[in-house]
Amino acid sequence: MKSEIEIFREFIRKKGLRNTPERETIIEEIFASHDHFDVDELYLRLKSKKKKISKPSIYRLIPYLLESGLIQEAYFEDGHLHYEHIYGHEHHCHLRCLNCGKIIEFEEKYLKKVENRLAEKYDFLVKGHKFEVLGYCPKCKAHI
Amino acid sequence: MKSEIEIFREFIRKKGLRNTPERETIIEEIFASHDHFDVDELYLRLKSKKKKISKPSIYRLIPYLLESGLIQEAYFEDGHLHYEHIYGHEHHCHLRCLNCGKIIEFEEKYLKKVENRLAEKYDFLVKGHKFEVLGYCPKCKAHI
DNA sequence: GTTTCTATTGTAAATGAAATTCATTTCTGC
DNA sequence: GCAGAAATGAATTTCATTTACAATAGAAAC
Ligand SMILES: [Mn+2]
Ligand SMILES: [Mn+2]
Ligand SMILES: [Zn+2]
Ligand SMILES: [Zn+2]
């Protein structure tokens, strides 16, 4: 299986664009962890490792990572978007704590059937779904 | 069944807050239509009806409408939040066109069972869920 | 290797949604 | 009416994201 960076290099070449050390650095940092991420947090992680990457470079890269199928938008929280890896990851849903943001991932195969039923019923070309269950985690529910 | 405005008056009184003509005007406008809405669109609707309500008054009212159970966040699209009525509405999910924003609402009773299973398995206090199916509507899928 | 073309970069400025400040107004209970 | 507290609108601020622009640097052609 190809690595994320190989997928990206191929994608960027096919589009007739250019790869750069900055892009490789950002991608390396994103995929060094398996966690969800947001732009600011990623920027600070790079900064703390003395990698001088500007925020616009991150913002400009994200649409390409989305288009190449390496990441997707996971959820909108605290006023900004959070992303997650998808290349090489099984599709999954999120159980999210409304207080502390804790995320638990789970599978729910039935939803694929719902997609198919809707596609037929409403003549939609269905591309996917997002299923989020919201609530309070064990720690937080005690204090609310 | 109580009207939305009655629910709101009761809520605001119980909190020891005050109702105002501005709030009544905003609430009247929100519930005059059954559609989803966002702040800017609501502001413009009020403006076009010569109702001089400031945007901050709308932004300040929304947390109370959420807290009182009259509305909820529906989805994040085009850089801002969209809301929907919930008081007197059956819970439902959304099929959304990624191109034109068209929304189709549908029911999926099975998801309540998923909630219960997760609550037990992960010791969460579950408050609800969001299930969005994304794709392209009949009109848009022809042009993509 | 050099040239040439143009995508990418970082800095700075601009946007736009949402929140906040503050002086003024308006409720509400006494 | 009066006092105290809450709400208002205009203006300002904040913060995420985007854009402008001049300098830089891939990469393809020579
Ligand atoms: Mn995830
Ligand atoms: Mn709806
Ligand atoms: Zn929590
Ligand atoms: Zn459409």
Side-chain angles (χ1 to χ4, degrees):
Chain A
M1 190 176 179
K2 285 175 202 153
S3 68
E4 289 86 359
I5 197 69
E6 286 168 331
I7 297 286
F8 181 74
R9 286 175 188 145
E10 200 169 303
F11 168 83
I12 220 71
R13 188 175 46 74
K14 275 192 189 145
K15 286 213 98 179
L17 300 174
R18 295 174 191 164
N19 199 4
T20 65
E22 288 83 358
R23 289 177 171 177
E24 298 248 342
T25 301
I26 297 167
I27 291 169
E28 188 183 348
E29 184 59 39
I30 288 174
F31 293 103
S33 146
H34 285 300
D35 292 340
H36 298 175
F37 66 95
D38 61 67
V39 169
D40 198 59
E41 174 218 312
L42 178 61
Y43 172 73
L44 294 174
R45 257 159 66 193
L46 288 162
K47 199 174 178 179
S48 77
K49 294 183 181 173
K50 311 293 175 200
K51 308 284 175 63
K52 281 181 193 141
I53 308 285
S54 70
K55 276 194 194 180
S57 288
I58 299 175
Y59 277 111
R60 282 183 287 228
L61 179 59
I62 281 179
Y64 294 139
L65 296 177
L66 292 168
E67 193 183 342
S68 63
L70 289 171
I71 68 168
Q72 70 181 356
E73 294 178 2
Y75 49 91
F76 181 77
E77 190 186 50
D78 296 331
H80 56 268
L81 278 165
H82 296 244
Y83 301 89
E84 67 184 345
H85 311 173
I86 43 174
Y87 175 69
H89 290 245
E90 289 295 319
H91 176 275
H92 59 264
C93 311
H94 296 131
L95 172 60
R96 177 156 63 91
C97 178
L98 292 164
N99 185 244
C100 73
K102 179 184 171 71
I103 301 269
I104 286 172
E105 302 186 334
F106 65 94
E107 249 191 288
E108 187 48 62
K109 293 176 296 263
Y110 177 72
L111 301 179
K112 191 72 194 156
K113 285 177 193 156
V114 178
E115 276 188 18
N116 294 334
R117 179 159 50 77
L118 291 166
E120 176 135 0
K121 181 165 182 185
Y122 296 107
D123 193 26
F124 262 61
L125 173 61
V126 173
K127 300 303 261 184
H129 66 256
K130 264 182 217 176
F131 182 44
E132 266 193 293
V133 179
L134 293 320
Y136 296 96
C137 75
K139 225 178 286 177
C140 293
K141 78 178 182 184
H143 311 305
I144 288 179
Chain B
M1 189 174 178
K2 286 175 202 154
S3 68
E4 288 88 358
I5 197 69
E6 285 168 330
I7 296 286
F8 181 75
R9 286 174 186 146
E10 201 169 303
F11 167 83
I12 220 72
R13 188 174 47 73
K14 276 191 188 145
K15 286 213 98 178
L17 300 174
R18 295 173 191 164
N19 198 6
T20 66
E22 287 83 0
R23 289 177 173 178
E24 297 248 342
T25 302
I26 297 167
I27 291 170
E28 190 183 347
E29 184 59 38
I30 288 174
F31 292 102
S33 145
H34 284 300
D35 292 340
H36 299 175
F37 66 95
D38 61 67
V39 169
D40 198 59
E41 174 219 310
L42 179 60
Y43 172 73
L44 293 175
R45 256 159 67 191
L46 288 162
K47 199 174 179 181
S48 78
K49 295 183 180 172
K50 311 292 176 201
K51 308 284 176 62
K52 281 183 194 140
I53 308 285
S54 69
K55 277 194 194 179
S57 288
I58 299 175
Y59 278 114
R60 281 184 285 230
L61 179 59
I62 281 179
Y64 294 140
L65 297 178
L66 292 168
E67 193 183 340
S68 64
L70 289 170
I71 68 168
Q72 71 182 356
E73 293 177 4
Y75 49 91
F76 181 78
E77 190 186 49
D78 296 331
H80 56 269
L81 279 165
H82 296 243
Y83 300 88
E84 67 183 344
H85 312 172
I86 44 175
Y87 175 70
H89 289 245
E90 289 295 320
H91 176 275
H92 60 264
C93 311
H94 295 132
L95 172 61
R96 178 156 62 90
C97 178
L98 292 165
N99 184 244
C100 72
K102 179 183 171 74
I103 301 269
I104 287 172
E105 302 185 334
F106 65 94
E107 249 189 290
E108 186 48 62
K109 292 176 297 262
Y110 177 74
L111 301 180
K112 191 71 193 156
K113 286 176 192 155
V114 178
E115 277 189 17
N116 293 334
R117 179 159 49 79
L118 292 167
E120 177 135 358
K121 180 165 182 186
Y122 296 107
D123 193 24
F124 262 60
L125 173 61
V126 173
K127 300 303 262 183
H129 66 255
K130 263 182 221 177
F131 181 43
E132 267 194 292
V133 179
L134 292 321
Y136 296 96
C137 76
K139 224 177 287 177
C140 293
K141 78 178 181 184
H143 311 305
I144 289 181

